[in-house]
Amino acid sequence: MKLFKTLTVILFTCLILTSCENKTEKLVKNMAELKSAIDNAQAGDIIVMSNGIWKDANIDFKAIGSADKPIVLKAETPGQVFIEGQSFLKIAGHFLEVHDLYFRNGYTPINAVIQFKSDKKNAAYDCKVVGCVIENFTQLDRTKKDHWVEFWGQRNQLLSCYIAGKSNNGPTVRGQLKGNQHANGHHLIANNYFGPRPRRGGPRGETMQLGDSYTSMVPAFFEVRDNFLDHCNGEVEVISSKSNYNKFSNNVFYKCEGSLVLRHGNYATIDSNWFIGDDDSDNIGGVRVINTGHWITNNYFYNLKGNEFRSAIAVMNGIPKSPLNRYNQVTDVVIAHNSWVDCISPLQFSVGSNVNKSDVLPKSEIRSALPIRTAVANNLIYNSETVSAPIVKYYDTPGDIDFECNYVSGVNGVENFVGFENSEMTVVNGQSAVPFVELADPNAKLFDGFDFVTIKNDIFSNHRDVNHAGAICAVKNTKFNVLNVDKYGPSWFKVSKKNANAKRVSIKSHDELYASLENANNGDTIVVDADVLNLDKTIKIEKSIILTSTNKDKKARLKFTSADYSTAFELGAGVDINLQHLIVEGSKNTNCFEPNKDDMSIAANVFVDDCTLSDFHSIYRSKKGSFADTLKVVNSVMKNLVNGFVLDSETDDKGDYNAEFLLLENNQICDVEKVFVDYHRGGYDESTIGGNFVFNNNTVERAGKVGSKEVLLKTHGIVNVELLNNKFSSIKSGFVARLWGEKNNLESGNTVKGKSKIVTDEFVTQKLLY
């Protein structure tokens, strides 16, 4: 017996030594050494990139590993290998792994940052990218298209990565299915943290797009699970599923201004996901349904306020005999065992119906095919405060929808809806960020539909022994934290970052102002302790700052003295400028704010409060490709201007626009020679919020270009417009505003003295994007 044990130990030791002999670890310090190591790599090798900055690194990781001996490319220290400049990573071959690289301070010169393909003939199979970071690795020109991760081949995985900050054209993650070698992909996207994707001001800003219109009939089998998607606001489609047999499970969608959209393709599974909204936004959606055979089960929708495309469940109308790139009819869909908590009108059907637009749209665009053969059963709807909004909202005549055994609490008028019943419910963890709601009656009747027996577990993976309606059948851990971001992304990377270096600086001269800006940290407050500063050159804002006076009752005066056509404040990428309690004067050749044309990669924001802005050519002028998230002026005076806010640079009619929010409230405006607002979005597109213009409680005098067809506040194609409680007098333009009545263009409480007027056009002919 002892001899047997001794022989076993010797044999085991030999196996270990043999295994070690077959595994080579090589440290490389530059691109030449890296290329050589990759060219000579054998199964089991580990290639280690030395710590430091790798600039303009064009990495083509092409090799052949095996299932038990993958070839690994990794950082010497996780998070200490920085890939910068014009860099990319291509992966091609079999059983390759990449670990712990950090992409920052640059952009890709090709179509992708990480691409599971080297060229047309060489794709990746059974490869992994693990624990990597791609942060703000975005193009300087936001109209230039790329993807940050591009899937090709089969059975590849993106695991435990942090990906955030893409602001340019194109989905963050793109699944490619062109060719049989890329079909039946069975790719896995799991345990990643998809951080904020800023609003893009147009379409083509998805966080994930899995397939496209022309490969939408291809079986893909993507599995997207256990990811945290945080403020992914690029467009209305956070995830766009455009292929067949994809599965989305156990993901958290946190305050994402959009939805998980089953855009093309069939037979998707959406199970056990969390969709979490915000009281302050009605742009946060849930699931939008198009096409055939989807199962939507065990999902938890909390605090969603959206309508139509952004409702908690949006089931669309289709186009009869639809082309591949439009909308197929919804058929044979199951929506069962979901919970909607504090959601307004959670079930909306025939979304996108446009049968009343036949005069302004071609017949091929009319969405008249109602959803059919769809079951909505065993769901739970709960409101903490009773509401009167209907549970089910139709935008056309009801289709063939079977409602069965759905239970409701906190909604008036339930008796008007067949298949819904008032019932007592219990909040198990009332103090948590996301309350867990259960049905009080464990014996409530449930609908036993075809294949419902396959819904075996609830959202917590509890077996449905007590088969409650809704996503939760038993809360076994009331301290479960849905918003725990620590379990996503690389273990070495800190998701939350605070600006600890912000300071307050007092300046007395223009030289001190320029110096303080050169040395500024993000969040600095610069206080002007002088009566007047004469400024003879543009102030370049490269960090987010607050610029204010020492005494708000005795405002400092900033006088821009340059006679050349220029700008007073030039805004760098991603900065916020906040002016408070200042008088800012220019010349009729100067724009007050403009973006830096050399780097418009990330949206800049302008906030003005209690200031006087005068004698400028424009308050803000956009440039082609520029984008501001928010332009906000409140409690201020704007006078002696040629123009006000000129946001008209996107003239290609592709659905793009130059600012997401233009907010003007409680201001005094006078003596404007031409247009005060020119806010333009060309192209008929529903994949974006469509712009937001708020003009409330302002006084406007002596403004506008003379002419019966001229418009003072031009909002061509902007979807959300509010003109409320304003006073207009001596307006020279024929129109104060022409609103788009079909969209969310509202006016109320305005007074107009003189011949100018506010009109509403119900249906505006728009150029189609498709």
Side-chain angles (χ1 to χ4, degrees), residues 53-318:
I53 294 175
W54 292 65
K55 192 166 184 179
D56 299 334
N58 300 165
I59 305 171
D60 193 357
F61 185 22
K62 186 163 58 176
I64 304 296
S66 61
D68 59 334
K69 296 179 182 179
I71 300 173
V72 177
L73 173 64
K74 71 174 188 175
E76 180 181 5
T77 303
Q80 294 300 310
V81 172
F82 302 104
I83 313 297
E84 299 188 357
Q86 297 187 44
S87 299
F88 59 80
L89 167 65
K90 292 181 178 180
I91 304 170
H94 297 265
F95 298 103
L96 310 178
E97 297 184 12
V98 177
H99 292 255
D100 303 322
L101 303 183
Y102 192 162
F103 290 83
R104 67 176 194 182
N105 298 335
Y107 57 89
T108 177
I110 62 171
N111 292 332
V113 179
I114 298 176
Q115 182 175 277
F116 285 96
K117 182 183 76 166
S118 178
D119 51 46
K120 289 183 178 180
K121 294 182 179 180
N122 294 280
Y125 300 88
D126 301 292
C127 297
K128 299 178 182 179
V129 173
V130 185
C132 291
V133 169
I134 310 177
E135 185 179 35
N136 297 334
F137 207 72
T138 196
Q139 299 287 338
L140 300 182
D141 178 359
R142 59 183 285 274
T143 66
K144 186 174 181 180
K145 181 178 180 180
D146 66 22
H147 309 126
W148 281 8
V149 179
E150 199 169 79
F151 279 93
W152 297 85
Q154 295 176 330
R155 300 177 303 279
N156 299 311
Q157 300 182 14
L158 181 70
L159 306 175
S160 300
C161 292
Y162 174 97
I163 301 174
K166 190 176 194 292
S167 61
N168 64 301
N169 192 339
T172 306
V173 175
R174 175 70 186 270
Q176 301 281 23
L177 301 167
K178 299 170 186 175
N180 287 337
Q181 68 271 40
H182 310 297
N184 295 290
H186 293 276
H187 301 298
L188 175 63
I189 302 171
N191 300 109
N192 303 288
Y193 183 94
F194 291 96
R197 172 151 194 183
R199 303 179 182 100
R200 212 195 70 77
R204 305 172 298 277
E206 304 93 337
T207 294
M208 296 184 204
Q209 182 184 332
L210 308 180
D212 60 33
S213 301
Y214 301 103
T215 59
S216 59
M217 295 298 106
V218 174
F221 296 98
F222 275 94
E223 184 176 1
V224 180
R225 61 170 169 81
D226 298 298
N227 301 286
F228 196 98
L229 296 97
D230 185 358
H231 288 84
C232 294
N233 299 338
E235 63 149 272
V236 70
E237 298 184 12
V238 179
I239 296 180
S240 186
S241 180
K242 294 186 173 183
S243 45
N244 292 285
Y245 304 108
N246 297 325
K247 183 175 183 179
F248 306 90
S249 58
N250 300 104
N251 303 289
V252 178
F253 295 79
Y254 181 66
K255 297 186 180 181
C256 296
E257 291 186 344
S259 303
L260 194 171
V261 180
L262 308 176
R263 182 64 181 88
H264 298 306
N266 306 300
Y267 305 107
T269 299
I270 301 91
D271 182 77
S272 298
N273 302 283
W274 302 83
F275 297 86
I276 300 168
D278 190 332
D279 282 330
D280 296 328
S281 176
D282 57 6
N283 293 319
I284 300 168
V287 178
R288 178 151 58 98
V289 185
I290 306 139
N291 290 47
T292 293
H294 309 302
W295 279 62
I296 303 168
T297 57
N298 287 322
N299 301 288
Y300 205 89
F301 303 85
Y302 175 60
N303 209 17
L304 305 181
K305 313 297 184 186
N307 276 307
E308 297 186 82
F309 283 64
R310 285 178 165 81
S311 55
I313 292 287
V315 180
M316 291 195 66
N317 264 17

Side-chain angles (χ1 to χ4, degrees), residues 625-640:
S626 70
F627 185 65
D629 188 88
T630 302
L631 305 173
K632 183 176 183 179
V633 181
V634 297
N635 309 315
S636 295
V637 175
M638 291 172 277
K639 64 181 182 179
N640 300 329

Side-chain angles (χ1 to χ4, degrees), residues 692-742:
N692 299 269
F693 176 43
V694 175
F695 195 78
N696 289 351
N697 201 35
N698 301 289
T699 299
V700 186
E701 300 178 278
R702 301 182 302 280
K705 185 177 180 180
V706 175
S708 61
K709 295 183 179 180
E710 298 294 336
V711 182
L712 178 68
L713 306 176
K714 296 170 68 174
T715 55
H716 178 85
I718 301 303
V719 171
N720 303 294
V721 177
E722 288 185 7
L723 303 182
L724 305 176
N725 305 315
N726 302 288
K727 296 179 181 178
F728 300 92
S729 62
S730 300
I731 305 303
K732 302 170 189 176
S733 304
F735 299 94
V736 169
R738 300 195 69 161
L739 303 180
W740 191 2
E742 174 197 355

